[in-house]
Amino acid sequence: MNQLPAVPASRMKMLITREQIKRRVAEIGQEITCAFAEQSVVLVGVLKGATIFLSDLARSIELDATFDFFGVSSYADRVRQSGEVRLTKDVDTSLEGRNVILVEDILDTGLTMNYLKNVVMTHQPRSFRIAVLLDKPAHRIQPIDADYLGFTIPDVFVVGYGLDYAEHYRNLQDIYILPPEAFSSG
Ligand code: PRP
């Protein structure tokens, strides 16, 4: 079955180029390398969007680094300024006494990150940091800040570099703004 997305990348406006991403990810990797010199870190990604950022970030960190992953399903109620997050996959390893860096592609309402922060804290890590590629503060419901941030973006729907619309576009190398017709044509 051929299920192509309604709008191809060639008809979308690019917001952040692969070169900008590469440069910023290298800078964040360098910051983490310096902050945790001579120590190990565990990079905990949130499926699925964070996988591309995590894989590039991991290769720019010159430390012993292991990976683990959370899976979540979430529902945000922007009218009531609330929402619900549910864990669909827990980490496979104990995070106790570890330098944990939670890695996300995007901070939007903040519900997912706040929820996962609480989950990680119950493990009693040695340290806890948040690394996020994109911050979209316009819809924040619960306050939270990233320790390592790639880019702050306006209130637009973005795809590419891990970010999807209906599971499409995750493998694009640049980050694009999804135009309104992509939503209306399903
Ligand atoms: C996105 C993103 C974060 C979450 C952030 O995940 O990857 O996990 O939303 O939003 P929040 O700040 O409003 O909680 P999504 O549900 O799109 O799943 P995906 O990672 O599989 O794309």
Side-chain angles (χ1 to χ4, degrees):
M1 209 175 355
N2 187 6
Q3 291 182 322
L4 287 171
V7 182
S10 56
R11 285 205 279 123
M12 292 194 285
K13 184 179 182 315
M14 200 183 286
L15 182 67
I16 306 173
T17 67
R18 66 193 72 182
E19 291 81 15
Q20 289 174 297
I21 297 170
K22 193 173 176 194
R23 227 175 297 131
R24 191 68 196 110
V25 171
E27 286 169 1
I28 295 172
Q30 199 50 46
E31 267 188 70
I32 292 173
T33 302
C34 293
F36 292 95
E38 318 278 318
Q39 300 175 56
S40 292
V41 294
V42 51
L43 304 176
V44 181
V46 186
L47 297 170
K48 305 169 189 164
T51 52
I52 307 277
F53 176 43
L54 186 144
S55 72
D56 280 346
L57 182 62
R59 284 175 287 180
S60 69
I61 294 174
E62 295 171 68
L63 298 170
D64 175 60
T66 57
F67 304 163
D68 212 326
F69 295 93
F70 281 121
V72 293
S73 73
S74 62
Y75 156 74
D77 185 335
R78 297 183 202 276
V79 176
R80 289 183 184 77
Q81 292 279 295
S82 65
E84 201 179 286
V85 182
R86 210 166 42 82
L87 208 58
T88 57
K89 186 212 166 292
D90 205 346
V91 287
D92 300 325
T93 49
S94 169
L95 302 176
E96 190 179 341
R98 309 290 308 276
N99 294 312
V100 176
I101 303 176
L102 198 49
V103 180
E104 260 288 31
D105 52 348
I106 188 163
L107 256 181
D108 189 4
T109 63
L111 291 168
T112 307
M113 201 44 111
N114 270 296
Y115 174 84
L116 291 176
K117 180 180 178 180
N118 288 333
V119 174
V120 171
M121 292 324 261
T122 64
H123 285 247
Q124 299 188 300
R126 174 174 174 172
S127 65
F128 175 73
R129 299 284 185 277
I130 294 172
V132 174
L133 183 69
L134 304 177
D135 185 9
K136 187 160 75 168
H139 291 154
R140 196 74 97 248
I141 291 175
Q142 288 180 356
I144 189 142
D145 288 315
D147 299 286
Y148 305 104
L149 171 65
F151 306 90
T152 299
I153 61 166
D155 185 14
V156 288
F157 195 103
V158 285
V159 296
Y161 199 75
L163 293 134
D164 75 309
Y165 175 63
E167 296 298 327
H168 293 288
Y169 307 116
R170 290 193 198 274
N171 61 325
L172 298 177
Q173 295 195 60
D174 310 281
I175 293 175
Y176 296 84
I177 298 174
L178 195 68
E181 66 262 32
F183 301 100
S184 46
S185 46

